[in-house]
PDB file of all heavy atoms in Angstrom:
ATOM      1  N   ILE A  77       5.997   0.381 -10.513  1.00 97.00           N
ATOM      2  CA  ILE A  77       4.822   1.289 -10.306  1.00 97.00           C
ATOM      3  C   ILE A  77       5.294   2.825 -10.058  1.00 97.00           C
ATOM      4  O   ILE A  77       4.521   3.634 -10.598  1.00 97.00           O
ATOM      5  CB  ILE A  77       3.899   0.796  -9.161  1.00 97.00           C
ATOM      6  CG1 ILE A  77       3.530  -0.612  -9.348  1.00 97.00           C
ATOM      7  CG2 ILE A  77       2.665   1.737  -8.937  1.00 97.00           C
ATOM      8  CD1 ILE A  77       2.775  -1.169  -8.016  1.00 97.00           C
ATOM      9  N   LYS A  78       6.294   2.886  -9.444  1.00 97.00           N
ATOM     10  CA  LYS A  78       6.687   4.343  -8.991  1.00 97.00           C
ATOM     11  C   LYS A  78       5.519   5.073  -8.515  1.00 97.00           C
ATOM     12  O   LYS A  78       5.106   6.124  -8.995  1.00 97.00           O
ATOM     13  CB  LYS A  78       7.315   5.020 -10.117  1.00 97.00           C
ATOM     14  CG  LYS A  78       8.702   4.595 -10.648  1.00 97.00           C
ATOM     15  CD  LYS A  78       9.529   5.634 -11.094  1.00 97.00           C
ATOM     16  CE  LYS A  78      11.133   5.190 -11.242  1.00 97.00           C
ATOM     17  NZ  LYS A  78      11.333   3.982 -11.989  1.00 97.00           N
ATOM     18  N   PRO A  79       5.002   4.558  -7.327  1.00 98.00           N
ATOM     19  CA  PRO A  79       3.845   5.257  -6.818  1.00 98.00           C
ATOM     20  C   PRO A  79       3.993   6.517  -6.333  1.00 98.00           C
ATOM     21  O   PRO A  79       5.123   6.896  -5.935  1.00 98.00           O
ATOM     22  CB  PRO A  79       3.309   4.233  -5.723  1.00 98.00           C
ATOM     23  CG  PRO A  79       4.507   3.461  -5.337  1.00 98.00           C
ATOM     24  CD  PRO A  79       5.447   3.520  -6.531  1.00 98.00           C
ATOM     25  N   ASP A  80       2.852   7.477  -6.338  1.00 98.00           N
ATOM     26  CA  ASP A  80       3.153   8.800  -5.681  1.00 98.00           C
ATOM     27  C   ASP A  80       3.078   8.661  -4.248  1.00 98.00           C
ATOM     28  O   ASP A  80       3.763   9.348  -3.507  1.00 98.00           O
ATOM     29  CB  ASP A  80       1.744   9.603  -6.174  1.00 98.00           C
ATOM     30  CG  ASP A  80       1.730   9.792  -7.692  1.00 98.00           C
ATOM     31  OD1 ASP A  80       2.545  10.696  -8.091  1.00 98.00           O
ATOM     32  OD2 ASP A  80       0.894   9.132  -8.316  1.00 98.00           O
ATOM     33  N   GLU A  81       2.279   7.630  -3.648  1.00 98.00           N
ATOM     34  CA  GLU A  81       2.332   7.466  -2.255  1.00 98.00           C
ATOM     35  C   GLU A  81       2.402   6.004  -1.966  1.00 98.00           C
ATOM     36  O   GLU A  81       1.742   5.202  -2.574  1.00 98.00           O
ATOM     37  CB  GLU A  81       0.943   7.982  -1.727  1.00 98.00           C
ATOM     38  CG  GLU A  81       0.826   9.496  -1.963  1.00 98.00           C
ATOM     39  CD  GLU A  81      -0.590  10.108  -1.801  1.00 98.00           C
ATOM     40  OE1 GLU A  81      -1.406   9.318  -1.221  1.00 98.00           O
ATOM     41  OE2 GLU A  81      -0.743  11.227  -2.160  1.00 98.00           O
ATOM     42  N   ILE A  82       3.063   5.735  -0.882  1.00 98.00           N
ATOM     43  CA  ILE A  82       3.048   4.253  -0.294  1.00 98.00           C
ATOM     44  C   ILE A  82       2.519   4.382   1.195  1.00 98.00           C
ATOM     45  O   ILE A  82       3.046   5.071   1.885  1.00 98.00           O
ATOM     46  CB  ILE A  82       4.430   3.793  -0.371  1.00 98.00           C
ATOM     47  CG1 ILE A  82       5.018   3.352  -1.842  1.00 98.00           C
ATOM     48  CG2 ILE A  82       4.457   2.339   0.473  1.00 98.00           C
ATOM     49  CD1 ILE A  82       6.381   2.632  -1.926  1.00 98.00           C
ATOM     50  N   TYR A  83       1.611   3.547   1.432  1.00 99.00           N
ATOM     51  CA  TYR A  83       1.123   3.433   2.735  1.00 99.00           C
ATOM     52  C   TYR A  83       1.552   1.982   3.329  1.00 99.00           C
ATOM     53  O   TYR A  83       1.080   0.957   2.690  1.00 99.00           O
ATOM     54  CB  TYR A  83      -0.443   3.439   2.769  1.00 99.00           C
ATOM     55  CG  TYR A  83      -0.986   4.771   2.373  1.00 99.00           C
ATOM     56  CD1 TYR A  83      -1.151   5.170   0.942  1.00 99.00           C
ATOM     57  CD2 TYR A  83      -1.281   5.746   3.267  1.00 99.00           C
ATOM     58  CE1 TYR A  83      -1.691   6.388   0.593  1.00 99.00           C
ATOM     59  CE2 TYR A  83      -1.576   7.105   2.832  1.00 99.00           C
ATOM     60  CZ  TYR A  83      -1.841   7.347   1.490  1.00 99.00           C
ATOM     61  OH  TYR A  83      -2.294   8.528   1.112  1.00 99.00           O
ATOM     62  N   HIS A  84       2.506   2.015   4.201  1.00 98.00           N
ATOM     63  CA  HIS A  84       3.052   0.763   4.626  1.00 98.00           C
ATOM     64  C   HIS A  84       2.279   0.314   5.899  1.00 98.00           C
ATOM     65  O   HIS A  84       2.854   0.718   6.956  1.00 98.00           O
ATOM     66  CB  HIS A  84       4.630   0.988   4.865  1.00 98.00           C
ATOM     67  CG  HIS A  84       5.226  -0.254   5.472  1.00 98.00           C
ATOM     68  ND1 HIS A  84       4.978  -1.498   4.965  1.00 98.00           N
ATOM     69  CD2 HIS A  84       6.142  -0.460   6.324  1.00 98.00           C
ATOM     70  CE1 HIS A  84       5.667  -2.310   5.641  1.00 98.00           C
ATOM     71  NE2 HIS A  84       6.370  -1.732   6.631  1.00 98.00           N
ATOM     72  N   LEU A  85       1.340  -0.545   5.638  1.00 98.00           N
ATOM     73  CA  LEU A  85       0.505  -1.056   6.707  1.00 98.00           C
ATOM     74  C   LEU A  85       0.740  -2.497   7.094  1.00 98.00           C
ATOM     75  O   LEU A  85       0.305  -3.077   8.047  1.00 98.00           O
ATOM     76  CB  LEU A  85      -1.045  -0.953   6.389  1.00 98.00           C
ATOM     77  CG  LEU A  85      -1.494   0.482   5.886  1.00 98.00           C
ATOM     78  CD1 LEU A  85      -2.944   0.370   5.562  1.00 98.00           C
ATOM     79  CD2 LEU A  85      -1.153   1.512   6.645  1.00 98.00           C
ATOM     80  N   GLY A  86       1.397  -3.217   6.209  1.00 98.00           N
ATOM     81  CA  GLY A  86       1.795  -4.608   6.391  1.00 98.00           C
ATOM     82  C   GLY A  86       2.726  -4.840   7.618  1.00 98.00           C
ATOM     83  O   GLY A  86       3.693  -4.277   7.740  1.00 98.00           O
ATOM     84  N   ALA A  87       2.177  -5.756   8.543  1.00 98.00           N
ATOM     85  CA  ALA A  87       2.874  -6.009   9.695  1.00 98.00           C
ATOM     86  C   ALA A  87       2.436  -7.257  10.486  1.00 98.00           C
ATOM     87  O   ALA A  87       1.210  -7.459  10.406  1.00 98.00           O
ATOM     88  CB  ALA A  87       3.009  -4.825  10.715  1.00 98.00           C
ATOM     89  N   GLN A  88       3.110  -7.862  11.303  1.00 97.00           N
ATOM     90  CA  GLN A  88       2.730  -8.754  12.306  1.00 97.00           C
ATOM     91  C   GLN A  88       2.031  -7.778  13.399  1.00 97.00           C
ATOM     92  O   GLN A  88       2.880  -7.217  14.143  1.00 97.00           O
ATOM     93  CB  GLN A  88       3.706  -9.663  12.799  1.00 97.00           C
ATOM     94  CG  GLN A  88       3.389 -10.788  13.617  1.00 97.00           C
ATOM     95  CD  GLN A  88       2.584 -10.517  14.813  1.00 97.00           C
ATOM     96  OE1 GLN A  88       1.266 -10.584  14.800  1.00 97.00           O
ATOM     97  NE2 GLN A  88       3.142 -10.245  15.937  1.00 97.00           N
ATOM     98  N   SER A  89       0.814  -7.670  13.550  1.00 98.00           N
ATOM     99  CA  SER A  89       0.243  -6.588  14.201  1.00 98.00           C
ATOM    100  C   SER A  89      -0.324  -7.055  15.570  1.00 98.00           C
ATOM    101  O   SER A  89      -0.922  -6.207  16.303  1.00 98.00           O
ATOM    102  CB  SER A  89      -0.857  -5.806  13.462  1.00 98.00           C
ATOM    103  OG  SER A  89      -2.096  -6.755  13.357  1.00 98.00           O
ATOM    104  N   TYR A  90      -0.286  -8.241  15.899  1.00 97.00           N
ATOM    105  CA  TYR A  90      -0.910  -8.894  17.213  1.00 97.00           C
ATOM    106  C   TYR A  90       0.153  -8.842  18.277  1.00 97.00           C
ATOM    107  O   TYR A  90       1.062  -9.706  18.250  1.00 97.00           O
ATOM    108  CB  TYR A  90      -1.512 -10.193  16.802  1.00 97.00           C
ATOM    109  CG  TYR A  90      -2.222 -10.813  18.091  1.00 97.00           C
ATOM    110  CD1 TYR A  90      -3.058  -9.863  18.825  1.00 97.00           C
ATOM    111  CD2 TYR A  90      -2.240 -12.040  18.277  1.00 97.00           C
ATOM    112  CE1 TYR A  90      -3.882 -10.409  19.765  1.00 97.00           C
ATOM    113  CE2 TYR A  90      -3.022 -12.656  19.398  1.00 97.00           C
ATOM    114  CZ  TYR A  90      -3.741 -11.799  20.138  1.00 97.00           C
ATOM    115  OH  TYR A  90      -4.532 -12.424  21.177  1.00 97.00           O
ATOM    116  N   VAL A  91      -0.082  -7.910  19.239  1.00 98.00           N
ATOM    117  CA  VAL A  91       1.059  -7.789  20.233  1.00 98.00           C
ATOM    118  C   VAL A  91       1.174  -9.006  21.021  1.00 98.00           C
ATOM    119  O   VAL A  91       2.334  -9.472  21.239  1.00 98.00           O
ATOM    120  CB  VAL A  91       0.498  -6.570  21.223  1.00 98.00           C
ATOM    121  CG1 VAL A  91       1.402  -6.586  22.460  1.00 98.00           C
ATOM    122  CG2 VAL A  91       0.365  -5.363  20.527  1.00 98.00           C
ATOM    123  N   ALA A  92       0.071  -9.687  21.390  1.00 97.00           N
ATOM    124  CA  ALA A  92       0.208 -11.002  22.107  1.00 97.00           C
ATOM    125  C   ALA A  92       1.033 -11.909  21.489  1.00 97.00           C
ATOM    126  O   ALA A  92       1.877 -12.778  22.136  1.00 97.00           O
ATOM    127  CB  ALA A  92      -1.114 -11.550  22.552  1.00 97.00           C
ATOM    128  N   TYR A  93       0.853 -12.029  20.242  1.00 97.00           N
ATOM    129  CA  TYR A  93       1.654 -13.127  19.390  1.00 97.00           C
ATOM    130  C   TYR A  93       3.317 -12.726  19.455  1.00 97.00           C
ATOM    131  O   TYR A  93       4.091 -13.561  19.341  1.00 97.00           O
ATOM    132  CB  TYR A  93       1.210 -13.225  17.991  1.00 97.00           C
ATOM    133  CG  TYR A  93       2.013 -14.313  17.135  1.00 97.00           C
ATOM    134  CD1 TYR A  93       1.927 -15.524  17.452  1.00 97.00           C
ATOM    135  CD2 TYR A  93       2.878 -13.781  16.221  1.00 97.00           C
ATOM    136  CE1 TYR A  93       2.635 -16.540  16.710  1.00 97.00           C
ATOM    137  CE2 TYR A  93       3.746 -14.739  15.488  1.00 97.00           C
ATOM    138  CZ  TYR A  93       3.483 -16.116  15.743  1.00 97.00           C
ATOM    139  OH  TYR A  93       4.265 -17.014  15.097  1.00 97.00           O
ATOM    140  N   SER A  94       3.445 -11.415  19.639  1.00 96.00           N
ATOM    141  CA  SER A  94       4.918 -10.943  19.534  1.00 96.00           C
ATOM    142  C   SER A  94       5.652 -11.375  20.712  1.00 96.00           C
ATOM    143  O   SER A  94       6.846 -11.543  20.746  1.00 96.00           O
ATOM    144  CB  SER A  94       5.039  -9.447  19.341  1.00 96.00           C
ATOM    145  OG  SER A  94       4.786  -8.794  20.544  1.00 96.00           O
ATOM    146  N   PHE A  95       4.986 -11.986  21.745  1.00 97.00           N
ATOM    147  CA  PHE A  95       5.633 -12.537  22.988  1.00 97.00           C
ATOM    148  C   PHE A  95       6.025 -13.962  22.657  1.00 97.00           C
ATOM    149  O   PHE A  95       6.814 -14.633  23.228  1.00 97.00           O
ATOM    150  CB  PHE A  95       4.811 -12.455  24.175  1.00 97.00           C
ATOM    151  CG  PHE A  95       4.726 -11.113  24.640  1.00 97.00           C
ATOM    152  CD1 PHE A  95       3.596 -10.334  24.616  1.00 97.00           C
ATOM    153  CD2 PHE A  95       5.788 -10.554  25.409  1.00 97.00           C
ATOM    154  CE1 PHE A  95       3.411  -9.060  25.113  1.00 97.00           C
ATOM    155  CE2 PHE A  95       5.694  -9.177  25.897  1.00 97.00           C
ATOM    156  CZ  PHE A  95       4.381  -8.432  25.668  1.00 97.00           C
ATOM    157  N   GLU A  96       5.222 -14.620  21.694  1.00 96.00           N
ATOM    158  CA  GLU A  96       5.525 -15.989  21.349  1.00 96.00           C
ATOM    159  C   GLU A  96       6.557 -16.129  20.233  1.00 96.00           C
ATOM    160  O   GLU A  96       7.266 -17.094  20.252  1.00 96.00           O
ATOM    161  CB  GLU A  96       4.100 -16.695  20.767  1.00 96.00           C
ATOM    162  CG  GLU A  96       3.216 -16.995  21.916  1.00 96.00           C
ATOM    163  CD  GLU A  96       1.871 -17.387  21.309  1.00 96.00           C
ATOM    164  OE1 GLU A  96       1.783 -18.139  20.336  1.00 96.00           O
ATOM    165  OE2 GLU A  96       0.791 -16.875  21.790  1.00 96.00           O
ATOM    166  N   ASP A  97       6.523 -15.158  19.458  1.00 95.00           N
ATOM    167  CA  ASP A  97       7.554 -15.325  18.339  1.00 95.00           C
ATOM    168  C   ASP A  97       8.037 -13.842  18.151  1.00 95.00           C
ATOM    169  O   ASP A  97       7.664 -13.155  17.168  1.00 95.00           O
ATOM    170  CB  ASP A  97       6.812 -15.825  17.086  1.00 95.00           C
ATOM    171  CG  ASP A  97       7.862 -15.997  15.840  1.00 95.00           C
ATOM    172  OD1 ASP A  97       9.152 -15.721  16.111  1.00 95.00           O
ATOM    173  OD2 ASP A  97       7.437 -16.465  14.869  1.00 95.00           O
ATOM    174  N   GLU A  98       8.985 -13.521  18.926  1.00 96.00           N
ATOM    175  CA  GLU A  98       9.630 -12.197  18.759  1.00 96.00           C
ATOM    176  C   GLU A  98      10.391 -12.050  17.315  1.00 96.00           C
ATOM    177  O   GLU A  98      10.450 -11.039  16.723  1.00 96.00           O
ATOM    178  CB  GLU A  98      10.713 -11.798  19.827  1.00 96.00           C
ATOM    179  CG  GLU A  98      10.429 -12.209  21.129  1.00 96.00           C
ATOM    180  CD  GLU A  98      10.973 -13.577  21.504  1.00 96.00           C
ATOM    181  OE1 GLU A  98      10.390 -14.551  21.300  1.00 96.00           O
ATOM    182  OE2 GLU A  98      12.147 -13.599  22.005  1.00 96.00           O
TER     183      GLU A  98
END
Side-chain angles (χ1 to χ4, degrees):
I77 304 171
K78 293 213 167 51
D80 297 284
E81 296 166 12
I82 293 183
Y83 297 86
H84 176 39
L85 312 181
Q88 191 305 93
S89 73
Y90 186 36
V91 175
Y93 181 72
S94 80
F95 290 106
E96 283 169 41
D97 184 2
E98 319 93 272

